Amino acid sequence: MTVAGRINLLVFTTAIGIAVAVLAVLGLREYSLLRDSLLQQAAAGVASEIQLPADIYLRDTEQLDAALGRLLRLSPAVSFVRLHSAEGTLLAGLERFPGAMDGVPAFKAVRGAGVSDLDSSVTSHAGGASPPASEILATLSGGEKLIDLSLPVFSAVNPTRNNLARDDFGLALAQPQGSRFVVGYLHAGISRSMLLLLILPTLGIMAAIALLTAIAASWLISRYTRNLTAPLARLAQMADDIAAGHLDQPLTVDGEGEVKEIAAVLNTIIGGLNSYKTRIGVDHQLLSMKVEERTAQLSQRNEELNLAVKQVTETKDRLRQMAYFDSLTSLPNRRLFTEQLDLLLRLSKRNNEMLALLFLDLDNFKRVNDSLGHSAGDTLLREVAQRLASCVRESDVVAHFVDSDSRIDVSRLGGDEFTVVLNQVEDAEAVRIVAQRLLDTLLQPVEIQGHELVITPSIGIALAPHDASDLEGLLKAADTAMFHAKARGKNTFVFYTSDMDAAGVERLRLETDLRKALERNELLFHYQPQVDTRTGTVVGAEALLRWQHPEQGMIPPFRFIPVAEEIGLIGEMGNWGIREACRELVELRREGLELPKIAVNVSALQFNKNFCPTVKEILDASGLPPSALELELTESILMEDSHGTVKALQELKALGLRLSIDDFGTGYSSLSYLSRFPLDELKIDRSFVIDFDKSANDASLVRAIIAMGQSMQLELVAEGVETSEQFHFLTRHGAEVIQGYLFSRPVTAAELRPMLAPGYFLEQIREIRAEADLPASTQLPG
């Protein structure tokens, strides 16, 4: 469209808009005038009905209907009229057409909130039927809307008075104007669509005038703009040609003033564009070269970014491998196992399927570690992992819920413990077949470092949901079954049953944990000092074995020593005890602390042909003088094999060790071995010491043991001394060295160190003897 055309269209549109705006303003004015006029007519009509107050008071229905008819004829726009009492009760109503009073609001809504009883009110509401004449207009304007006019009807007579007659109202009208009382209200409904219909003729005339005026103005302005914009149109075409690059030569344009100036500017632009085209060609060539250079750089950066993404992906994969897979065997670790098994259990429960968990623990694996070293143990674990993985077929494990990287059919929980998960198994027999296949596969010999080894597993089997439906319960059931498999001789599998003895399981668990206690450094010594009552100085200490269990805490020796003897672990544990005691005493002496000897208990099962060489090796390795190590032997050792025992004791004595009889007198002792065996010390059992004041026989036995030891020139140590009475009885009869809670409970090496100071217990001994008020000749030198 040309400039002149756009200007003409703009002028015509503006003229039409102004005409429409003027028409709308005039229409609103006419509408408001008509409505206000009608409201005034209604008010005047009510005022002209002088009999209306009396009719309302007397409830004269016929007269009320007649008055309403006259008011309804005020205007075609009045759809209905209604009369209400002063209290709002409907007295009469008249409608112009059927349905006019449908949906009329309540009286209070018509009056409106906050309107005085003496004032008129104007409200509106939507709905109701439209007058037939304006039904189409109501539909086009969005539906009928009624203006509710509420006018109070005043009376010169107080309507609250009783027994009034029509004459009273007439007399009141004849009298001078006084007070006015509201006797009722007129409610008139005025149709908006009918008001619009009434002003349509006037609006039509105004619209015609406005349209003719707009057309005439548009024609005059278009004639003027056409003459004005012709040169401008030529200039616009010239500018378009310049922009499109089609105009290379200057042009001449007719016109005066600004038009000629614009033409001169455009000709100047044409000359400048010709020069610019030359420069732009050179710049385009340079830009193309720069783009090629940047493209090469971006390609290089893209390659570097791809490499970085690849490295990040590889790092992420390595981190996932470290978090979810065992570094030694590359099998899923405990974390991935527990996460996926929990998911499997929930899936099997939802699908009503059976799942089996096989818990494997390698038999005697620690022996391989100890004899061939940890590298051989690691090689054996990798071989076991490979055999287990190859043994479990795809048909045994349906792992459709995870990708292949998260399968947990075979997992390593740690140490020598493995698990196998069988999903969607049909029955226990299918699990039995897989378990037997695992046993047969692992039973094949494996060669490690030139040694042919045979490793066997103990397998515990638990089924879900029969044995347990949750992760912890299933693991516990499989673990319990595994312990029973070990109890049945190992190299077998056992299905979990609910009647498995809990105490037996605890014993089996204790055995398993005890086997790993040495490897995990859970064993330690507590030391109970032996005090010389003459000087108050510690002359020895008995090393008492303790087990610091990671879950159960400190376990006393009476719980685990018998178990160690039964499972054949006492020899290894005893050798560790001698080695640890020697190391601790050497460390104390290196610190400048004086402890003449340390006593270690020796089990009868530990006392074999290899015992003497082992002790000698330990002493040589530690550098401890043999005289500082005292072995406490039980009577069962001395009475088991007389010839072999004498020989072994003589070898130990030849090494320079001290030998002591522990708990002397509690067994079936033979006094003859005291003269045959090279003993250094007798220990008086605490059972005699505790009951000496309750039993004359025990007191006599203690005196006899002391006398016998003195006659055979054996040192005496009384253990279990807890009271000052026991102290006085023993020292009075010649027992000079005391061990017991009277001086100290068994303590750690750190707690023992301050007690090794010379005369540490001297003050306590003085106090004990002072309490007994002993004669001065028996007091310690001070």
Side-chain angles (χ1 to χ4, degrees):
M1 183 181 292
T2 62
V3 175
R6 287 196 293 270
I7 293 175
N8 291 335
L9 179 60
L10 178 60
V11 170
F12 181 75
T13 303
T14 302
I16 294 297
I18 294 172
V20 171
V22 171
L23 182 63
V25 171
L26 293 176
L28 288 175
R29 179 176 176 276
E30 288 295 324
Y31 175 83
S32 298
L33 291 175
L34 181 60
R35 182 193 63 186
D36 295 342
S37 175
L38 182 56
L39 295 179
Q40 292 174 2
Q41 291 177 25
V46 172
S48 65
E49 295 289 338
I50 58 177
Q51 295 297 327
L52 187 58
D55 297 336
I56 293 175
Y57 179 82
L58 297 174
R59 302 295 194 267
D60 190 340
T61 305
E62 181 178 353
Q63 292 299 325
L64 290 176
D65 289 341
L68 291 179
R70 289 190 294 274
L71 293 173
L72 188 63
R73 289 191 292 274
L74 288 175
S75 172
V78 178
S79 295
F80 66 86
V81 287
R82 292 154 58 104
L83 276 173
H84 295 267
S85 66
E87 292 80 14
T89 303
L90 179 63
L91 302 178
L94 188 63
E95 56 185 6
R96 185 177 295 279
F97 52 86
M101 289 193 293
D102 292 348
V104 175
F107 175 75
K108 290 184 178 181
V110 172
R111 288 295 297 167
V115 179
S116 173
D117 294 340
L118 304 177
D119 295 333
S120 302
S121 68
V122 179
T123 59
S124 62
H125 75 274
S130 302
S134 62
E135 186 173 357
I136 297 176
L137 187 59
T139 303
L140 295 176
S141 62
E144 182 61 271
K145 188 172 183 181
L146 293 176
I147 299 172
D148 295 302
L149 172 62
S150 176
L151 297 172
V153 179
F154 293 103
S155 170
V157 180
N158 188 350
T160 60
R161 291 169 53 189
N162 297 324
N163 302 320
L164 294 175
R166 188 177 296 274
D167 293 339
D168 296 327
F169 286 90
L171 293 174
L173 291 173
Q175 294 176 0
Q177 190 70 23
S179 299
R180 296 193 306 166
F181 302 93
V182 177
V183 69
Y185 293 94
L186 173 71
H187 175 198
I190 302 172
S191 171
R192 184 187 65 172
S193 61
M194 200 64 192
L195 288 176
L196 294 175
L197 184 63
L198 293 175
I199 65 172
L200 277 182
T202 304
L203 291 178
I205 296 172
M206 292 180 180
I209 295 173
L211 180 61
L212 292 175
T213 303
I215 293 174
S218 299
W219 182 78
L220 292 175
I221 293 174
S222 64
R223 288 291 301 261
Y224 176 74
T225 55
R226 190 178 302 114
N227 295 330
L228 180 65
T229 58
L232 294 177
R234 176 60 179 155
L235 291 176
Q237 182 63 42
M238 182 178 177
D240 291 340
D241 291 342
I242 293 173
H246 298 153
L247 192 60
D248 295 331
Q249 301 298 325
L251 294 179
T252 302
V253 178
D254 296 334
E256 299 294 336
E258 292 86 353
V259 175
K260 297 196 72 172
E261 293 178 1
I262 294 174
V265 171
L266 289 177
N267 286 328
T268 304
I269 292 174
I270 292 173
L273 284 177
N274 291 332
S275 301
Y276 178 74
K277 285 182 179 180
T278 304
R279 293 197 306 272
I280 204 68
V282 176
D283 292 342
H284 181 269
Q285 184 176 3
L286 293 176
L287 181 61
S288 299
M289 296 172 61
K290 202 66 174 178
V291 168
E292 292 177 358
E293 179 183 355
R294 294 300 184 192
T295 302
Q297 292 176 352
L298 288 175
S299 299
Q300 181 180 356
R301 296 293 184 272
N302 189 48
E303 293 176 0
E304 294 174 353
L305 180 60
N306 292 335
L307 179 60
V309 170
K310 180 180 179 182
Q311 292 174 347
V312 170
T313 303
E314 292 175 351
T315 302
K316 180 180 178 181
D317 293 340
R318 285 197 300 271
L319 290 175
R320 185 181 185 279
Q321 182 74 20
M322 293 170 62
Y324 287 101
F325 293 88
D326 178 48
S327 59
L328 179 63
T329 62
S330 297
L331 292 177
N333 59 14
R334 180 180 292 272
R335 180 179 182 181
L336 180 58
F337 166 77
T338 54
E339 290 181 3
Q340 298 297 337
L341 180 58
D342 183 64
L343 176 59
L344 262 178
L345 286 172
R346 284 188 272 119
L347 287 174
S348 63
K349 182 178 180 180
R350 184 180 66 185
N351 300 329
N352 196 22
E353 298 170 343
M354 182 185 294
L355 179 145
L357 173 62
L358 286 70
F359 195 101
L360 291 82
D361 188 90
L362 302 183
D363 301 327
N364 302 320
F365 175 73
K366 188 176 183 302
R367 187 181 304 168
V368 176
N369 256 351
D370 294 342
S371 58
L372 300 181
H374 289 284
S375 60
D378 292 345
T379 303
L380 179 59
L381 290 175
R382 284 192 290 267
E383 177 65 24
V384 169
Q386 292 175 2
R387 291 189 181 187
L388 291 177
S390 62
C391 186
V392 180
R393 300 191 299 261
E394 288 287 338
S395 59
D396 298 326
V397 180
V398 182
H400 56 272
F401 63 97
V402 289
D403 56 39
S404 59
D405 293 337
S406 298
R407 284 182 51 187
I408 57 163
D409 43 358
V410 180
S411 305
R412 182 189 177 207
L413 300 188
D416 57 347
E417 296 176 345
F418 295 84
T419 59
V420 175
V421 177
L422 305 181
N423 189 28
Q424 296 182 351
V425 294
E426 297 179 358
D427 50 29
E429 184 59 31
V431 182
R432 191 185 306 274
I433 293 174
V434 175
Q436 187 60 50
R437 191 193 310 153
L438 294 174
L439 292 177
D440 296 341
T441 300
L442 294 183
L443 195 59
Q444 301 299 320
V446 56
E447 184 173 341
I448 297 177
Q449 297 180 0
H451 300 277
E452 189 176 83
L453 305 178
V454 176
I455 193 73
T456 61
S458 296
I459 306 176
I461 305 174
L463 303 177
H466 179 267
D467 299 327
S469 58
D470 61 306
L471 173 65
E472 295 297 330
L474 193 66
L475 270 175
K476 182 179 179 181
D479 193 30
T480 300
M482 184 272 293
F483 282 118
H484 279 271
K486 285 189 176 294
R488 295 184 185 181
K490 307 176 183 179
N491 191 28
T492 186
F493 60 86
V494 172
F495 281 86
Y496 172 79
T497 58
S498 58
D499 58 351
M500 287 183 172
D501 183 26
V505 173
E506 181 63 27
R507 168 60 184 266
L508 293 173
R509 188 181 303 277
L510 188 66
E511 291 181 8
T512 302
D513 291 346
L514 188 57
R515 295 179 188 276
K516 300 176 181 178
L518 283 174
E519 180 181 349
R520 297 173 178 172
N521 294 322
E522 295 174 1
L523 297 179
L524 70 156
F525 271 137
H526 282 185
Y527 301 92
Q528 190 168 34
Q530 298 171 346
V531 181
D532 187 341
T533 59
R534 294 165 297 183
T535 63
T537 301
V538 176
V539 295
E542 181 180 1
L544 301 172
L545 191 60
R546 299 289 186 269
W547 180 11
Q548 182 66 46
H549 194 279
E551 297 177 359
Q552 302 181 31
M554 191 69 71
I555 299 179
F558 70 83
R559 282 189 58 193
F560 67 88
I561 291 297
V563 176
E565 292 178 342
E566 291 180 17
I567 65 177
L569 196 63
I570 192 65
E572 182 181 358
M573 190 178 296
N575 294 339
W576 175 88
I578 296 174
R579 184 177 294 106
E580 177 66 15
C582 293
R583 183 196 66 79
E584 195 69 60
L585 185 53
V586 168
E587 184 174 340
L588 289 174
R589 293 188 171 185
R590 188 178 295 118
E591 295 175 8
L593 301 174
E594 183 60 32
L595 181 62
K597 65 174 182 176
I598 191 165
V600 181
N601 291 280
V602 177
S603 170
L605 299 177
Q606 186 181 355
F607 205 80
N608 52 40
K609 62 181 180 179
N610 297 322
F611 182 67
C612 294
T614 301
V615 173
K616 183 178 185 303
E617 179 185 348
I618 293 173
L619 288 171
D620 292 341
S622 66
L624 182 72
S627 59
L629 177 63
E630 181 176 86
L631 302 181
E632 294 191 0
L633 313 174
T634 61
E635 292 183 0
S636 59
I637 295 177
L638 304 178
M639 299 178 63
E640 182 179 353
D641 182 356
S642 178
H643 178 72
T645 301
V646 171
K647 183 179 179 182
L649 292 177
Q650 288 175 347
E651 291 180 6
L652 292 173
K653 193 61 180 175
L655 292 176
L657 275 74
R658 292 173 53 84
L659 301 178
S660 172
I661 296 298
D662 192 20
D663 302 336
F664 179 76
T666 58
Y668 297 95
S669 304
S670 173
L671 298 179
S672 62
Y673 67 70
L674 292 179
S675 61
R676 295 200 316 271
F677 297 148
L679 303 175
D680 298 285
E681 179 183 276
L682 287 181
K683 294 195 72 174
I684 305 172
D685 187 69
R686 67 186 301 271
S687 61
F688 299 136
V689 174
I690 292 175
D691 296 332
F692 85 93
D693 57 345
K694 301 176 183 178
S695 170
N697 290 334
D698 286 342
S700 299
L701 281 174
V702 172
R703 287 193 295 268
I705 292 173
I706 294 174
M708 183 174 52
Q710 290 174 342
S711 65
M712 298 184 68
Q713 297 183 348
L714 295 177
E715 297 179 9
L716 293 171
V717 175
E719 62 179 353
V721 180
E722 299 179 358
T723 66
S724 57
E725 290 80 6
Q726 296 167 359
F727 172 88
H728 295 309
F729 174 78
L730 292 168
T731 55
R732 186 165 57 249
H733 290 89
E736 306 288 351
V737 179
I738 299 297
Q739 174 184 342
Y741 274 73
L742 179 64
F743 292 118
S744 174
R745 59 177 176 81
V747 296
T748 63
E751 294 173 310
L752 179 66
R753 280 169 164 78
M755 301 180 187
L756 300 182
Y760 181 82
F761 293 99
L762 182 58
E763 187 63 31
Q764 182 180 353
I765 295 173
R766 286 175 176 170
E767 293 176 358
I768 294 173
R769 286 182 169 169
E771 291 174 0
D773 195 22
L774 294 178
S777 59
T778 62
Q779 297 295 317
L780 293 173

